[in-house]
Amino acid sequence: MRTDIGKPPAATSGSSSGRMDRVQRIDLSVALSDDANEDVQEMATSDQTPSSPVTTQYLQLSSDSGSKPKFVESAPLSARLMEDDSNGLRLATNNCHERSTVEDGSPPPSPERSTTPAEPEIREQLRRAQLEMARMTEENEEIKKMFKTLSMEYHRLHVNMFQMLNAQSGPAVTQASGLSFQTEEEYKRHTEHDSRTAANLFPISSSQSQGSASRNAISAFGDGHISDEKEDSRDAEAVKVLPGVVGKRSRESPETQTPDRSEMTRQRDGAAPRAASSPREAAMEESGGSEHVTESPPRERERDESSSAPSTGWPHNKRMKTGPAVHDPSGRNARVSVRARSDATTLNDGCQWRKYGQKMAKGNPCPRAYYRCTVSQGCPVRKQVQRCADDTSILITTYEGTHNHSLPPAATAMASTTSAAANMLLSGSTSSSEMVEASTHAYNLASRTAPIISASTPFPTITLDLTNNPAAAQQMRMAGANAFQMPYSFTSASSGLQMHPPSMINPVQSGGYYAQSAAEQTTGAFQVYTNPAAGWLQHQMQQQQQQQQASPTRSPQFLAETVSAATAAITSDPNFTAALAAAITSIISSQTNSTMMGASNANITEALRVAGLPISSARKD
DNA sequence: CGTTTTTGACCGGCGC
DNA sequence: GCGCCGGTCAAAAACG
Ligand SMILES: [Zn+2]
């Protein structure tokens, strides 16, 4: 049976066959609407919590400044600068040290009025030029300042982060080293990546497809997605109606069912709390693993021969589990799972996948499908897809590993998102024990209900929840849950959180993360509800949020969360530097070409971007 | 004809 | 050691 899974097996028609995934363009332009902008500001103000050691920074674009700041150092600005855009770049940092130094070296030349009344015209021009120049200079200074501030902040954040981590986990050694290591590698990789992304970004502008606004959002996901849905729709509908049941459609022999059934028959809770698996060590390789990946003989492996050591294709993918305590080079330790609503059999993340297995999961009527990335032959990345038992409309996709190749633009969003999440998790989780405890605690709060996958998760797992969905979310939900319709929240049990000033986070959050982290519990699993990739976000947001139209209040929180999330991500993201640079650059650029997106969007976008959440790259081939 | 999907068989870790 | 289990393989079928 093709997929009794909750979804429409849709038989092979259309969607099932592989390629649907193709690249889709992602559009970020959508991002947030204007209100968002407001929110941001609000948030910024409110957030400023001096008390927290952590500093958060927001990049903000405001229209007040009028001219665009150029990053030019001392270059003489040509007078021609027009104020193309109305966005100014403003940076708010809460609590940094007293100021970032401002040394700019060049004193802002105040606009001096020329005294030569000679030729009025010339004089006028001159005067104007001077004024502009002055202005520019000022701006430049400001920017410089800002930059500096940012840099400092960044530094500080890093430091803080480490401290915290250390404190948390006593022996920070590994971690530190690990991190730095990652940083470098990642840095390199990302640098390219980023630039690439940025490039894609700009061009996007709003144009893109002619689709309606809503469409744009969707595009993020990829048209494919849509199409998929459509295709599946027929089946999907049926399924929806009777999630559990599902007639066996399409081919497939009757017997098949039998075996499966037997397997699944008993779902036992599968709880199997493995108290302490603390595979944390492996942490570092996770991301690093990507590189190692190198790859070897991908395919040919006879299981016979290798028998004992299935090294083969992917470098020992075996699990690390408690046993060997080895970190396996494959980088299979961390997992990132994404929950999203989707009718499609699998969500379209822009990558190409080949299904290599399907199994009935224990506590779930829906089978779990295993996919492997086929973009590159040796790519170690795998993902497993399963529908949530409670709510069949939710698709849980778990990614594992890092791509060893460049990704199509459409896929970058997801990939980087997951990778960022993984990094975060790893870096944070290093201090296993405490984390575990915390999570455990939370667990109670969170309660469960969610059968979700793996009650027994041997690996550290991060869950990004893109559903605003109540049901599942509820379980993990956040205490205060003001019910803001945030489709996602990003909390990380790991490092990030702690850094947030309570005020900023507000009750909701704090409760939130605990709970969440708890949810997956078991070992070191964390749940993060979050928003990942922009494309994604948008897609989801729109899809879901749209209907619920926001309440006025949501914004602040919404943003706060977003930002905090971003912050968290940033903190833990080794590539932050690169990202930061990219972000700044992009901001500036965007201003230069006002073509980009609205300021409001930009903020968030950037924030996310910085955080390592790729916003999306749009583009098409 | 090359890919991808389907699926029962296998494997290795665990708990009992 | 046995059975349960999550994962994987790989032969065969289905697609395009
Ligand atoms: Zn790949």
Side-chain angles (χ1 to χ4, degrees):
Chain A
M1 49 205 40
R2 195 183 195 4
T3 37
D4 284 315
I5 311 190
K7 246 6 223 191
T12 45
S13 60
S15 61
S16 62
S17 39
R19 281 210 177 181
M20 47 202 289
D21 281 351
R22 279 193 169 307
V23 187
Q24 329 284 0
R25 79 205 50 313
I26 295 180
D27 168 310
L28 3 155
S29 58
V30 186
L32 310 178
S33 49
D34 304 3
D35 12 3
N37 193 357
E38 295 178 1
D39 299 349
V40 175
Q41 292 185 353
E42 282 186 33
M43 166 178 99
T45 20
S46 61
D47 295 326
Q48 323 228 9
T49 52
S51 59
S52 75
V54 180
T55 57
T56 338
Q57 359 183 280
Y58 305 91
L59 292 179
Q60 197 165 359
L61 296 175
S62 58
S63 55
D64 50 300
S65 60
S67 49
K68 74 199 170 202
K70 296 233 161 192
F71 218 163
V72 186
E73 181 99 293
S74 53
L77 316 178
S78 51
R80 71 239 211 39
L81 58 115
M82 52 284 256
E83 11 231 274
D84 21 358
D85 77 329
S86 50
N87 304 329
L89 176 61
R90 184 164 51 177
L91 166 72
T93 58
N94 47 352
N95 155 26
C96 337
H97 289 336
E98 41 276 61
R99 78 150 356 98
S100 40
T101 66
V102 180
E103 38 229 12
D104 43 359
S106 53
S110 55
E112 33 189 314
R113 62 212 58 268
S114 58
T115 45
T116 52
E119 293 82 316
E121 259 186 48
I122 294 180
R123 189 184 62 121
E124 247 308 306
Q125 283 188 326
L126 187 73
R127 201 175 80 110
R128 237 187 236 168
Q130 284 181 328
L131 279 176
E132 286 194 86
M133 222 159 155
R135 225 204 292 173
M136 293 303 281
T137 310
E138 252 176 83
E139 289 181 8
N140 268 343
E141 286 180 39
E142 242 176 78
I143 292 179
K144 280 199 228 165
K145 230 194 283 188
M146 196 171 21
F147 186 73
K148 249 183 202 173
T149 306
L150 277 176
S151 298
M152 289 176 61
E153 289 293 314
Y154 166 50
H155 254 305
R156 204 163 307 148
L157 278 174
H158 252 285
V159 173
N160 282 341
M161 179 180 77
F162 280 118
Q163 290 182 341
M164 298 194 95
L165 289 176
N166 289 343
Q168 198 177 16
S169 64
V173 188
T174 12
Q175 173 177 1
S177 58
L179 256 179
S180 57
F181 181 66
Q182 286 185 22
T183 309
E184 288 195 352
E185 290 182 329
E186 289 275 285
Y187 176 76
K188 271 194 237 156
R189 249 200 307 167
H190 265 268
T191 309
E192 307 176 82
H193 199 333
D194 255 301
S195 53
R196 227 188 338 177
T197 307
N200 291 335
L201 236 70
F202 298 134
I204 299 172
S205 65
S206 53
S207 56
Q208 171 118 256
S209 56
Q210 71 285 31
S212 58
S214 57
R215 216 21 191 217
N216 282 342
I218 297 173
S219 63
F221 223 92
D223 353 282
H225 179 73
I226 296 174
S227 60
D228 285 353
E229 286 188 350
K230 281 185 185 172
E231 290 185 5
D232 293 347
S233 63
R234 46 181 181 175
D235 289 333
E237 289 187 2
V239 175
K240 271 185 181 173
V241 180
L242 302 179
V245 184
V246 181
K248 46 231 6 283
R249 69 182 339 337
S250 65
R251 68 148 347 19
E252 128 287 53
S253 50
E255 299 94 289
T256 28
Q257 184 101 9
T258 318
D260 286 351
R261 231 206 257 130
S262 62
E263 275 191 28
M264 65 186 276
T265 46
R266 75 254 325 339
Q267 30 197 109
R268 180 187 201 312
D269 46 74
R274 54 193 41 321
S277 51
S278 44
R280 292 290 101 72
E281 299 86 1
M284 64 183 290
E285 69 259 33
E286 194 290 337
S287 60
S290 56
E291 298 168 36
H292 307 168
V293 187
T294 86
E295 231 41 70
S296 34
R299 300 230 125 235
E300 10 251 44
R301 43 150 58 280
E302 278 111 297
R303 54 171 66 185
D304 298 357
E305 286 187 330
S306 53
S307 64
S308 59
S311 49
T312 71
W314 312 279
H316 328 8
N317 16 339
K318 279 14 224 320
R319 63 231 62 312
M320 63 248 223
K321 282 228 175 134
T322 39
V326 184
H327 13 285
D328 64 282
S330 62
R332 255 175 133 233
N333 309 303
R335 289 186 174 185
V336 177
S337 73
V338 175
R339 296 170 48 103
R341 283 181 188 291
S342 171
D343 289 340
T345 56
T346 178
L347 40 81
N348 181 12
D349 49 26
C351 254
Q352 289 196 319
W353 305 91
R354 186 176 88 252
K355 187 175 185 176
Y356 67 87
Q358 175 169 314
K359 274 239 157 171
M360 291 306 286
K362 227 162 2 191
N364 194 328
C366 307
R368 176 185 303 168
Y370 300 86
Y371 295 84
R372 174 176 299 150
C373 174
T374 57
V375 175
S376 166
Q377 237 196 350
C379 187
V381 176
R382 283 177 221 169
K383 79 170 178 182
Q384 36 185 261
V385 179
Q386 177 170 51
R387 299 209 92 86
C388 176
D390 298 343
D391 184 346
T392 48
S393 69
I394 294 180
L395 200 60
I396 301 171
T397 305
T398 304
Y399 294 86
E400 191 176 318
T402 310
H403 293 281
N404 64 352
H405 51 82
S406 56
L407 298 159
T412 56
M414 215 25 199
S416 29
T417 299
T418 55
S419 109
N423 285 339
M424 190 193 308
L425 174 107
L426 291 175
S427 58
S429 64
T430 315
S431 56
S432 54
S433 57
E434 296 196 356
M435 292 299 294
V436 176
E437 283 188 11
S439 28
T440 307
H441 270 318
Y443 186 76
N444 300 336
L445 291 178
S447 82
R448 41 344 96 18
T449 336
I452 301 234
I453 0 186
S454 64
S456 53
T457 309
F459 341 77
T461 303
I462 265 201
T463 301
L464 306 182
D465 193 333
L466 298 179
T467 62
N468 45 345
N469 142 17
Q474 226 175 28
Q475 334 166 351
M476 350 191 93
R477 77 116 71 307
M478 345 195 124
N482 298 345
F484 37 109
Q485 4 330 64
M486 293 222 32
Y488 54 82
S489 56
F490 178 107
T491 22
S492 103
S494 46
S495 57
L497 303 182
Q498 317 167 345
M499 310 184 84
H500 302 305
S503 56
M504 167 175 171
I505 294 175
N506 69 34
V508 178
Q509 273 247 20
S510 48
Y513 42 94
Y514 272 58
Q516 297 169 0
S517 55
E520 228 26 14
Q521 141 297 27
T522 325
T523 30
F526 300 109
Q527 286 209 342
V528 176
Y529 285 25
T530 163
N531 64 42
W536 277 69
L537 282 183
Q538 295 173 359
H539 174 76
Q540 292 292 340
M541 285 175 64
Q542 297 229 351
Q543 228 186 12
Q544 307 176 12
Q545 243 177 146
Q546 218 159 12
Q547 16 191 76
Q548 341 187 354
Q549 234 354 312
S551 60
T553 51
R554 88 163 187 214
S555 13
Q557 287 193 348
F558 165 75
L559 282 184
E561 290 223 358
T562 301
V563 175
S564 64
T567 305
I570 290 173
T571 317
S572 53
D573 182 5
N575 312 314
F576 180 56
T577 309
L580 177 67
I584 293 175
T585 308
S586 64
I587 291 175
I588 293 173
S589 309
S590 66
Q591 290 191 343
T592 305
N593 338 302
S594 45
T595 55
M596 201 139 163
M597 42 198 104
S600 55
N601 293 345
N603 294 343
I604 290 159
T605 303
E606 289 309 330
L608 291 177
R609 220 151 148 277
V610 169
L613 303 178
I615 303 214
S616 63
S617 44
R619 127 195 199 309
K620 107 115 358 35
D621 32 319

